[in-house]
């Protein structure tokens, strides 16, 4: 891409390292049917190119051409077909944001402050109630506009995500770049069977503005989440895991969540579970394990406890078996290192076999 008038700049991206090609429409650009095209390759911010602005049809055509070239197809083949597999209705999105643990807690605090202030000092505490109530309202409005009409479609080049109210975005999650996956279940969501699915994607998560690129779905029922996860981790049944729980003495280190702490593994992946109020289930394929660590904090050592960490790429999914029996944690860590080594030896690698890439 060439840019600049006074200072000319030329940048090139290697297609074999291409991670995503996104079409983004800020509100002002939507008025004039324009869009920006963001191309990203492995390497963080240095591997990102933004082309602003093109007519919407040209932006979509450019995206199709680049994706076709990156997949080794002819540029005239057009965009790969897709099939919509999930859609998040605005009503469900709004309800999920209201029922999230942090939001519900702030709203409850607002109600308590308002009632307590009115009963003791009259209406003088209303400004404080507006402050505590305004924070969750702002959070809800921001995320509602960001993930409005969230749609997930399956295509040969990965999972395509479309979302946004004021600024619409079209993203592609390449399956081969997914390093780890996590399910988040706040307390009030569990009665409704809702979960949020998050990802660690290679090359994503280095900046604060990349948070939306680690969300596979902001909320969905477990059946839909299982369908989406099956596309990312084929052949894996996340409900068929034999969990190994933390010992009962872990209650002295973590009195609230100790009963939820556990690890599990299969021939394909390692999993960790934590959280009682907000439950978190984290999964990493053995072949995507970067390193394995065992840590013993000053409060764990007297209780003969240790935490086991299976490191992945940067992102929201952190696979940690908290407060396990120390001997058990060390044994599982050594075994996980062996499983990771064997899996990497037989893994097909970053790119599927048979793919040809042009630079």
């Amino acid at each position: 891409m060439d840019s600049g008038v006074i200072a000319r700049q030329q940048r090139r991206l290697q297609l074999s390292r291409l991670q995503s090609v996104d079409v983004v429409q800020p509100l002002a650009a939507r008025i004039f049917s324009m869009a920006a095209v963001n191309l990203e390759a492995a390497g963080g911010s240095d591997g990102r190119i933004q082309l602003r602005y093109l007519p919407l049809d040209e932006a979509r055509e450019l995206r199709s051409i680049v994706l076709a070239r990156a997949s080794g197809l002819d540029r005239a083949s057009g965009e790969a077909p897709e099939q919509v597999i999930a859609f998040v209705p605005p009503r469900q999105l709004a309800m999920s944001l209201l029922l999230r643990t942090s939001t519900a807690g702030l709203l409850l605090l607002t109600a308590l402050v308002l009632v307590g202030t009115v009963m003791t000092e009259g209406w003088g505490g209303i400004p404080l109630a507006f402050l505590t109530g305004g924070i969750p309202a702002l959070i809800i409005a921001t995320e509602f506009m960001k993930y409005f009409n969230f749609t997930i479609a399956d295509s040969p080049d990965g999972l395509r995500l479309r979302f946004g109210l004021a600024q619409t975005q079209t993203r592609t999650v390449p399956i081969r770049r997914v390093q780890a996956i996590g399910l988040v279940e706040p307390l009030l969501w569990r009665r409704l069977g809702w979960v949020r699915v998050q990802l660690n994607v290679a090359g994503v998560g280095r900046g604060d503005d990349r948070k939306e690129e680690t969300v596979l779905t902001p909320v969905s029922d477990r059946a839909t989440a299982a369908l989406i996860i099956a596309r990312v981790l084929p052949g894996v049944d996340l409900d068929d895991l034999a969990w190994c729980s933390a010992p009962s003495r872990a209650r002295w280190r973590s009195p609230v969540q100790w009963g939820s702490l556990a690890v599990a593994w299969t021939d394909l992946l390692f999993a960790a579970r934590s959280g009682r109020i907000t439950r978190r289930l984290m999964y990493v394929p053995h072949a995507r394990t970067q390193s394995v660590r065992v840590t013993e904090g000053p409060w764990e050592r007297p209780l003969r406890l240790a935490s086991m960490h299976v490191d992945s790429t940067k992102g929201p999914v952190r696979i940690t078996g908290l407060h396990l029996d120390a001997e058990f944690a060390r044994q599982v860590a050594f075994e996980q290192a062996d499983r990771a080594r064997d899996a990497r030896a037989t893994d097909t690698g970053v790119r599927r076999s048979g793919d040809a890439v042009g630079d």
Side-chain angles (χ1 to χ4, degrees):
M1 184 183 76
D2 296 331
S3 61
V5 177
I6 299 176
R8 301 284 294 176
Q9 184 179 23
Q10 185 180 77
R11 299 187 62 190
R12 295 188 178 186
L13 290 183
Q14 188 176 353
L15 290 181
S16 60
R17 298 174 60 83
L18 186 70
Q19 292 185 170
S20 64
V21 183
D22 304 328
V23 176
V24 182
Q25 277 191 290
L27 179 60
R30 291 177 63 186
I31 297 175
F32 299 98
S33 295
M34 305 290 284
V37 180
N38 299 335
L39 297 89
E40 181 168 349
S45 58
D46 293 337
R48 196 176 195 187
I49 287 180
Q50 294 181 319
L51 186 59
R52 301 175 180 175
Y53 284 96
L54 297 174
L56 181 58
D57 291 340
E58 292 185 16
R60 291 173 174 169
E61 182 181 2
L62 176 61
R63 178 180 177 273
S64 300
I65 292 173
V66 173
L67 288 175
R69 288 287 303 277
S71 300
L73 303 175
D74 185 82
R75 59 180 296 173
S77 60
E79 189 171 11
E82 66 178 35
Q83 179 181 4
V84 175
I85 59 177
F87 172 74
V88 180
R91 182 176 179 273
Q92 183 184 18
L93 177 61
M95 284 295 297
S96 70
L97 296 175
L98 281 170
L99 296 177
R100 198 165 50 182
T101 303
S102 57
T103 307
L106 285 172
L107 290 176
L108 178 61
L109 176 62
T110 300
L112 293 176
V113 169
L114 183 60
V115 172
T117 303
V118 171
M119 292 180 62
T120 58
E121 300 181 8
W123 297 97
I126 294 300
L128 179 60
F130 275 118
L131 176 62
T132 56
I135 293 175
L138 180 61
I139 295 174
I140 291 173
T142 301
E143 292 209 24
F144 181 82
M145 294 177 65
K146 179 188 293 184
Y147 296 123
F148 183 79
N149 277 351
F150 200 98
T151 304
I152 307 169
D154 190 11
S155 71
D157 51 20
L159 292 176
R160 294 179 184 167
L161 313 180
R162 295 187 178 89
F163 54 92
L165 181 59
Q167 173 176 292
T168 61
Q169 302 187 46
T170 301
R171 301 190 182 278
T172 300
V173 178
I175 302 303
R176 63 183 182 271
R177 295 287 182 178
V178 175
Q179 305 296 299
I181 193 165
L183 302 182
V184 181
E185 299 176 303
L187 178 63
L188 298 179
W189 287 19
R190 294 205 287 271
R191 294 180 61 88
L192 301 172
W194 291 352
V195 298
R196 169 173 285 201
V197 183
Q198 297 177 319
L199 297 171
N200 287 357
V201 181
V204 176
R206 293 180 172 86
D208 295 336
D209 60 336
R210 315 304 302 281
K211 180 179 178 181
E212 68 274 8
E213 298 190 22
T214 62
V215 174
L216 186 55
T217 173
V219 61
S220 67
D221 58 77
R222 289 194 66 91
T224 303
L227 178 65
I228 298 170
I229 294 172
R231 179 67 176 90
V232 180
L233 300 176
V236 174
D237 185 0
L238 300 184
D239 293 325
D240 187 22
L241 292 174
W243 292 99
C244 300
S245 300
S248 58
R249 61 182 183 275
R251 64 162 59 94
W252 300 106
R253 174 59 183 86
S254 186
V256 175
Q257 66 169 341
W258 73 271
S260 300
L261 303 178
V263 296
W265 58 90
T266 67
D267 293 338
L268 298 176
L269 58 80
F270 185 88
R273 185 181 68 195
S274 64
R276 173 163 293 180
I277 298 176
T278 298
R279 182 187 300 158
R280 299 180 184 274
L281 303 168
M282 307 301 175
Y283 309 90
V284 57
H286 298 316
R288 298 295 181 258
T289 298
Q290 293 197 340
S291 63
V292 182
R293 297 177 291 120
V294 175
T295 60
E296 292 183 81
W299 297 105
E300 291 178 309
R301 197 173 299 115
L303 297 171
R304 305 189 311 280
L305 301 175
S307 295
M308 174 192 168
H309 310 264
V310 180
D311 296 324
S312 175
T313 55
K314 290 184 178 180
V317 182
R318 298 181 179 180
I319 305 92
T320 303
L322 291 171
H323 316 320
L324 305 172
D325 177 79
E327 287 298 326
F328 174 76
R330 283 189 283 269
Q331 176 187 348
V332 174
F334 283 119
E335 293 176 353
Q336 177 60 23
D338 292 338
R339 285 189 290 263
R341 183 184 61 249
D342 295 341
R344 284 194 297 268
T346 59
D347 187 44
T348 56
V350 174
R351 185 166 295 278
R352 297 186 298 269
S353 59
D355 285 351
V357 179
D359 291 339

